[in-house]
Amino acid sequence: MPLLDTPVRLGVQLQPQHAPYPAFRDAVLRLEEMGVDILFNWDHFFPLSGDPDGLHFESWTMLAAWAEQTERVEFGALVNCNSYRNPDLQADMARTIDHISAKDGTGRFIFATGSGWFARDYEEYGYEFGTAGSRLDDLAEGLARIEARWAKLNPAPTRDIPVMIGGKGEQKTLRLVARHADIWHSFVRPEELPHKIEVIERWAEREQRPSDGLVISNELDRRGEDVADRLYDGGVRLFTLAFHGPDWDYDLVRSWLRWRDAKNGA
């Protein structure tokens, strides 16, 4: 079973598009002050909505800035694309950002990753797109290399960097979740959760890795409290909200913070 005794946490994904960088800097500061638990961006090179050639910023350099700027909030990409960087380099970058963020000695970076899907990123930046299956195979190889590199780096990460894997495919993705993840993120509907969790548990048994510490994560975008309640009943404890700029809707964030606090008995 997933980890159910952990508090509900709210993550906000600042989509790094259609706004100048100072707007993101200000939003990060305001969201941390409001009490958001985790801040995310995404790992793409072009906007995913609106003007396809509009303003856009790269994920990892932005995350390094957040590591220095923030004091409390955890952060990461939702999600990193394994295809865009050598896995050992990813491990080193994650370790470095972990240290930058360690204001009290413990880092706050979450290594959230996936196999990639946005063809334009690959085509314009010169990466081989391959197939969904080949990209998942590359992710499996990459995760093993990342974990091995973390064990070799000097200095080591400040903590066991949490690994978050996104996706719902039962033959490859959920097996990787069972093998590597601390957090599983998906968009699945509440009624799908029991089956997907059962699949993860079966893979965890084959991988000989306990699944009872896994945190289940899901999306709030364009969903109401009725769906969020059902996701909570199904075991979700991390809820992520897409934040559309440059006209940030802070009232929406406040409403979900109130819902989170009510679930936590605050």
Side-chain angles (χ1 to χ4, degrees), residues 49-66:
S49 62
D51 180 0
D53 295 312
L55 298 176
H56 196 277
F57 292 99
E58 192 274 331
S59 171
W60 280 82
T61 43
M62 178 180 279
L63 293 173
W66 292 4

Side-chain angles (χ1 to χ4, degrees), residues 29-36 72 250-251 253-254 257 260:
L29 178 61
R30 186 166 178 180
L31 290 166
E32 183 175 48
E33 290 177 341
M34 289 172 66
V36 168
R72 173 196 56 80
Y250 291 102
D251 287 338
V253 176
R254 289 189 188 93
L257 286 169
R260 177 203 66 183

Side-chain angles (χ1 to χ4, degrees), residues 126-179:
Y127 299 109
E128 181 180 351
F129 190 52
T131 65
S134 68
R135 293 193 299 274
L136 280 166
D137 291 341
D138 289 343
L139 177 61
E141 178 188 2
L143 283 164
R145 288 174 58 183
I146 287 162
E147 291 175 351
R149 180 58 56 185
W150 279 338
K152 298 175 183 177
L153 288 171
N154 183 17
T158 68
R159 63 173 181 169
D160 290 333
I161 296 175
V163 173
M164 180 179 188
I165 296 177
K168 66 176 185 176
E170 296 181 10
Q171 295 306 309
K172 292 188 176 183
T173 301
L174 295 188
R175 185 167 192 174
L176 292 176
V177 170
R179 184 183 300 163

Side-chain angles (χ1 to χ4, degrees), residues 11-242:
V12 173
Q13 183 190 48
L14 281 159
Q15 301 177 346
Q17 59 180 10
H18 305 314
Y21 190 77
F24 295 103
R25 184 187 298 115
D26 294 345
V28 166
L29 178 61
R30 186 166 178 180
L31 290 166
E32 183 175 48
E33 290 177 341
M34 289 172 66
V36 168
D37 298 292
I38 304 173
L39 294 176
F40 293 108
N41 60 15
W42 66 35
D43 189 18
H44 295 289
F45 304 132
F46 302 96
L48 298 185
S49 62
D51 180 0
D53 295 312
L55 298 176
H56 196 277
F57 292 99
E58 192 274 331
S59 171
W60 280 82
T61 43
M62 178 180 279
L63 293 173
W66 292 4
E68 189 62 60
Q69 176 185 354
T70 57
E71 299 289 336
R72 173 196 56 80
V73 71
E74 290 189 292
F75 60 95
L78 192 64
V79 291
N80 169 68
C81 179
N82 178 72
S83 304
Y84 300 159
R85 300 159 196 90
N86 172 285
D88 293 85
L89 174 61
Q90 293 179 58
D92 206 339
M93 293 165 68
R95 181 280 311 260
T96 300
I97 291 177
D98 167 72
H99 276 264
I100 294 170
S101 69
K103 305 297 176 66
D104 63 356
T106 302
R108 295 172 285 118
F109 180 69
I110 295 173
F111 183 71
T113 193
S115 60
W117 62 272
F118 190 39
R120 185 184 181 190
D121 285 349
Y122 287 80
E123 292 164 357
E124 294 212 25
Y125 275 63
Y127 299 109
E128 181 180 351
F129 190 52
T131 65
S134 68
R135 293 193 299 274
L136 280 166
D137 291 341
D138 289 343
L139 177 61
E141 178 188 2
L143 283 164
R145 288 174 58 183
I146 287 162
E147 291 175 351
R149 180 58 56 185
W150 279 338
K152 298 175 183 177
L153 288 171
N154 183 17
T158 68
R159 63 173 181 169
D160 290 333
I161 296 175
V163 173
M164 180 179 188
I165 296 177
K168 66 176 185 176
E170 296 181 10
Q171 295 306 309
K172 292 188 176 183
T173 301
L174 295 188
R175 185 167 192 174
L176 292 176
V177 170
R179 184 183 300 163
H180 297 283
D182 302 289
I183 308 167
W184 168 52
H185 179 78
S186 77
F187 296 80
V188 302
R189 298 184 300 273
E191 59 270 23
E192 296 179 88
L193 277 172
H195 171 68
K196 296 295 184 181
I197 291 171
E198 181 182 353
V199 172
I200 293 171
E201 290 173 341
R202 290 202 303 266
W203 280 125
E205 184 176 357
R206 290 187 60 175
E207 294 290 334
Q208 297 184 322
R209 181 173 184 257
S211 63
D212 56 357
L214 185 68
V215 174
I216 309 298
S217 171
N218 208 297
E219 293 283 336
L220 292 174
D221 198 32
R222 294 183 294 276
R223 288 172 164 173
E225 289 189 8
D226 56 336
V227 176
D229 287 339
R230 292 168 59 206
L231 290 168
Y232 175 87
D233 291 342
V236 176
R237 291 298 181 270
L238 172 56
F239 293 82
T240 65
L241 177 67

